[in-house]
Amino acid sequence: MGVKGFVEGGIASIIAGCSTHPLDLIKVRMQLQGETPISAPATVHNLRPALAFHTGAANHTISIPAPSVVAPPRVGPVAVGVKIIQQEGVAALFSGVSATVLRQTLYSTTRMGLYDMLKQKWTDPDTNIMPLSKKIVAGLIAGGIGAAVGNPADVAMVRMQADGRLPISQRRNYKSVIDAITQMSKSEGVTSLWRGSSLTVNRAMLVTASQLASYDQFKEIILEKGLMKDGLGTHVTSSFAAGFVAAVASNPVDVIKTRVMNMKVEPGMAPPYNGAIDCAMKTIKAEGPMALYKGFIPTISRQGPFTVVLFVTLEQVRKMLKDF
């Protein structure tokens, strides 16, 4: 119990986060599909006919209506990935990877370490079993604290990943996660670093409780039933099942979190969303309830490999550090 659990969890989380970053970026881009773009108020020009005569009658004018904004068609994860490569280059798939490293260092290291501490404290010493209810509670506590610590990096990561979809004139062009955090603090205030923090905390609690608790539970069941031995096969099976559970539980909160964090607040103008509930209501009203599961395919495509890499790496790191 102590520092060792944080180190093991941190190493595994950083490796898993970096290796699945392109899938996470595609997920963010898909979650922002259908969102109403910010545009300047349209100007309606009243033009007089070229050969109009000055008479006592009222001047005749021709009104040209403002062009309507047509939302681009929604596309799948493969098409989104191909489009990113074509328009922005292969390197764009790793936009915001520095923020991912910082996020995993702050958020995942904290949640993995705290969960390990609680797990050791609450596990029955006689049976060496921790009840599922306690696993879930441990996940909720660890995830909530970890998310509060890592929220600034999370906001920076979302913005850096989403920047390429904006028109060139509206892009933020952050050079790194430090630059992103610095610019946000200067232009929007320090509190902007915790924008959407309630959503981040809620999502992290759901993800950690469902991911870590279900992994331990699936692993225990497989070993108890004698389906497989404690090895790579058990770790991969348990972690992929845990990734699916985490994706189903967290996707709606993740969509809202992404939109709230990415919204651009113009000086003197009301923000697009007044909070999580307002964002959820506007999203459902404009795009339907299934919009909350937008990006689910890339979410599970990312959550599955991420969870597999996370726990397989964690098990190997534990073996390497067992004598320390």
Side-chain angles (χ1 to χ4, degrees):
M1 187 188 302
V3 178
K4 187 178 177 182
F6 288 87
V7 174
E8 293 170 344
I11 293 172
S13 299
I14 291 172
I15 293 173
C18 291
S19 61
T20 58
H21 184 82
L23 295 172
D24 194 46
L25 184 142
I26 291 172
K27 176 205 72 175
V28 167
R29 296 286 182 93
M30 288 190 69
Q31 289 176 338
L32 294 172
Q33 283 185 146
E35 191 176 33
T36 305
I38 299 173
S39 58
T43 302
V44 178
H45 299 282
N46 291 327
L47 303 179
R48 291 187 59 188
L51 299 176
F53 293 98
H54 294 281
T55 64
N59 290 333
H60 296 282
T61 60
I62 301 174
S63 296
I64 301 178
S68 58
V69 178
V70 180
R74 298 173 187 174
V75 292
V78 175
V80 170
V82 171
K83 185 179 179 182
I84 292 171
I85 294 173
Q86 289 176 340
Q87 296 183 352
E88 305 169 48
V90 177
L93 292 174
F94 286 89
S95 297
V97 71
S98 60
T100 291
V101 173
L102 181 60
R103 177 178 180 268
Q104 297 299 339
T105 302
L106 297 175
Y107 159 61
S108 288
T109 299
T110 302
R111 73 177 182 125
M112 298 289 285
L114 286 175
Y115 181 81
D116 188 62
M117 289 178 63
L118 294 173
K119 180 180 175 182
Q120 293 187 42
K121 185 176 182 180
W122 293 348
T123 297
D124 190 320
D126 297 325
T127 61
N128 201 32
I129 293 176
M130 181 179 178
L132 178 59
S133 58
K134 289 188 176 181
K135 291 174 186 171
I136 294 174
V137 173
L140 292 172
I141 294 172
I145 295 174
V149 172
N151 200 81
D154 208 358
V155 177
M157 183 185 72
V158 167
R159 290 193 173 195
M160 292 174 75
Q161 289 177 333
D163 210 34
R165 68 182 283 274
L166 296 172
I168 295 177
S169 60
Q170 296 181 21
R171 291 182 186 177
R172 301 177 176 102
N173 296 317
Y174 298 135
K175 297 174 183 176
S176 66
V177 62
I178 303 301
D179 181 49
I181 292 174
T182 303
Q183 284 194 40
M184 287 173 62
S185 300
K186 289 180 179 178
S187 61
E188 302 174 50
V190 177
T191 55
S192 66
L193 298 176
W194 274 269
R195 180 173 293 158
S197 58
S198 61
L199 290 164
T200 307
V201 169
N202 289 334
R203 176 189 177 276
M205 291 172 71
L206 289 172
V207 168
T208 306
S210 57
Q211 187 185 64
L212 301 188
S214 60
Y215 173 78
D216 284 342
Q217 194 67 23
F218 283 127
K219 183 180 174 183
E220 285 179 10
I221 292 173
I222 290 172
L223 296 178
E224 285 178 5
K225 301 292 183 182
L227 301 176
M228 285 186 280
K229 295 182 179 180
D230 188 3
L232 184 61
T234 299
H235 302 158
V236 171
T237 303
S238 302
S239 56
F240 195 85
F244 180 81
V245 173
V248 172
S250 65
N251 203 87
V253 179
D254 199 27
V255 171
I256 303 303
K257 176 184 77 75
T258 296
R259 295 192 172 196
V260 170
M261 286 183 170
N262 187 60
M263 70 176 177
K264 194 168 187 178
V265 182
E266 299 289 348
M269 295 180 64
Y273 308 117
N274 294 320
I277 302 299
D278 182 54
C279 180
M281 296 303 293
K282 286 181 177 177
T283 300
I284 293 172
K285 185 177 180 180
E287 305 167 53
M290 287 309 295
L292 296 178
Y293 274 91
K294 188 172 288 184
F296 179 75
I297 298 301
T299 294
I300 188 60
S301 299
R302 183 260 181 188
Q303 195 69 260
F306 174 85
T307 310
V308 170
V309 175
L310 173 66
F311 287 113
V312 169
T313 304
L314 181 62
E315 297 284 0
Q316 298 306 312
V317 172
R318 282 174 175 169
K319 288 181 181 178
M320 292 172 59
L321 301 179
K322 65 179 180 180
D323 295 328
F324 290 92

